[in-house]
Amino acid sequence: GSVEAPVPRVGVVVFVLKGKSVLLGRRRATICNSAFALPGGHLEFGESFEACAAREVKEETGLDIDNIEVLKVTNDLFHEGAEPSHYIMILLRAVLANPNQLPENLEPDKCDGWDWYEWDSLPRPLFWPLEKLLQDGFHPFLIV
Ligand code: 8DG
Ligand code: MG
Ligand code: MG
């Protein structure tokens, strides 16, 4: 095969909000293994941000989401892996379509399990882009 020059990829992550809590899972991945992270993944060709958010949350947790909104865009460089990676991250928020639905760990090779964590007492370590957002004062509940 041909050797491609590296390019930025588009990542979509979702703050699924429930009361004062947000959905996080411990990652099993080369980048930032075992840190708490949001559900999300890669934007597919032709997909809207909202459709990607709903698809990734469904694939990873089984949850159906509603009121999906884009909150912020970040530009992140990762140097942890064998090769560096560059992500344009689209951050969204959403709520559960059915507040009684429970998260399932549908990709156990990528995640140790999902749970709700209160925003004021988040678990650590957080995936570093998320930690950086928090330190910058980002608050997914307060954006109008
Ligand atoms: P896919 O094959 O399902 O499309 O992708 P994935 O396996 O679900 O991708 P991912 O690693 O979950 O997300 C893609 C990238 O997004 C990840 O390698 C780095 C970036 N990213 C952040 N912050 C977060 C976060 O909080 N959660 C997740 N899942 N990814 C994040 O910069
Ligand atoms: Mg993912
Ligand atoms: Mg995924």
Side-chain angles (χ1 to χ4, degrees):
S2 60
V3 177
E4 306 280 348
V7 292
R9 302 185 75 187
V10 181
V12 168
V13 293
V14 192
F15 292 88
V16 183
L17 307 182
K18 184 181 175 177
K20 294 175 179 173
S21 299
V22 63
L23 187 72
L24 295 172
R26 248 187 209 274
R27 280 172 73 80
R28 302 171 69 87
T30 45
I31 300 178
C32 233
N33 188 28
S34 96
F36 287 90
L38 300 164
H42 299 95
L43 187 72
E44 292 184 355
F45 188 85
E47 198 171 41
S48 71
F49 298 143
E50 292 82 2
C52 180
R55 178 182 56 75
E56 285 287 346
V57 170
K58 186 72 180 172
E59 285 175 359
E60 297 184 353
T61 74
L63 296 171
D64 299 298
I65 55 173
D66 230 340
N67 298 0
I68 308 168
E69 298 172 282
V70 175
L71 297 180
K72 192 178 171 71
V73 176
T74 63
N75 190 21
D76 295 330
L77 290 162
F78 296 90
H79 301 284
E80 288 97 289
E83 274 143 38
S85 48
H86 179 180
Y87 278 95
I88 309 300
M89 295 302 308
I90 314 297
L91 312 176
L92 299 94
R93 82 176 156 197
V95 294
L96 293 179
N98 167 6
N100 299 319
Q101 208 181 359
L102 299 175
E104 298 169 76
N105 191 16
L106 297 181
E107 294 182 347
D109 53 321
K110 291 187 183 176
C111 178
D112 283 346
W114 300 102
D115 213 340
W116 302 100
Y117 297 93
E118 279 208 25
W119 185 255
D120 293 332
S121 57
L122 292 177
R124 293 297 193 287
L126 291 172
F127 195 12
W128 72 259
L130 195 54
E131 185 66 56
K132 195 177 65 172
L133 276 172
L134 257 72
Q135 275 160 23
D136 292 346
F138 179 79
H139 198 312
F141 293 81
L142 298 184
I143 298 167
V144 283

